[in-house]
């Protein structure tokens, strides 16, 4: 039997999510770099007055990169927890997670180039 729905319990779950987000902002340098880049892109987007469709692409690209970085950080923490000693397989897991961020960031950069190029050239 499932538990009864509780608004308070749902609100508490948001607290856990914000706690995790705040941890990453405070402790993960790469996340802060991506967050700073996102703020610059948002400011540039407002400056050139993007269309609604362009805003949707920019927001999606930013979200993809930040979510990929969150997953990468969580995978790194989990790998460190289950394999505190050096393990080549643990390193491969971390490298694959980092590669996901790289691919996402490259895709976001391509989206940015395609959107912003006509505004400046």
């Amino acid at each position: 039997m499932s538990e009864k729905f509780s608004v308070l319990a749902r609100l508490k779950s948001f607290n856990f999510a914000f706690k995790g987000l705040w941890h990453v902002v405070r402790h993960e340098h790469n996340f802060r770099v991506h967050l700073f880049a996102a703020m610059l892109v948002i400011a540039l987007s407002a400056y050139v007055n993007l269309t609604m469709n362009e805003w949707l692409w920019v927001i999606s690209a930013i979200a993809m990169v930040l979510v990929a970085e969150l997953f990468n950080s969580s995978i790194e923490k989990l790998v460190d927890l289950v394999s505190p000693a050096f393990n080549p397989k643990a390193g491969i897991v971390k490298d694959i997670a980092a590669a996901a961020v790289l691919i996402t960031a490259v895709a976001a950069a391509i989206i940015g180039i395609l959107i912003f190029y006509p505004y400046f050239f």
Side-chain angles (χ1 to χ4, degrees):
M1 185 172 193
S2 65
E3 292 182 30
K4 184 178 170 186
F5 176 80
S6 164
V7 173
L8 185 58
R10 299 293 66 83
L11 291 175
K12 278 185 165 181
S13 69
F14 279 102
N15 185 47
F16 296 131
F18 285 116
K19 182 179 173 183
L21 183 60
W22 182 240
H23 175 84
V24 174
V25 169
R26 281 192 341 250
H27 298 286
E28 297 294 331
H29 178 263
N30 287 342
F31 188 84
R32 289 193 305 270
V33 168
H34 289 296
L35 198 56
F36 179 73
M39 289 187 274
L40 289 178
V41 169
I42 290 169
L44 182 61
S45 298
Y47 176 76
V48 299
N49 198 23
L50 294 183
T51 66
M52 179 64 73
N53 191 44
E54 291 168 333
W55 270 109
L56 292 172
W57 279 102
V58 167
I59 291 167
S60 296
I62 290 169
M64 284 188 326
V65 172
L66 294 179
V67 168
E69 191 61 55
L70 288 167
F71 279 130
N72 180 51
S73 296
S74 64
I75 289 168
E76 286 181 352
K77 298 284 186 230
L78 182 59
V79 167
D80 289 345
L81 178 67
V82 299
S83 183
F86 175 78
N87 181 328
K89 288 182 180 178
I92 291 169
V93 171
K94 287 181 170 186
D95 292 346
I96 293 169
V101 176
L102 176 64
I103 289 171
T104 307
V106 168
I110 292 168
I111 289 168
I113 290 167
L114 292 172
I115 288 174
F116 290 107
Y117 185 84
Y119 288 96
F120 295 102
F121 301 104

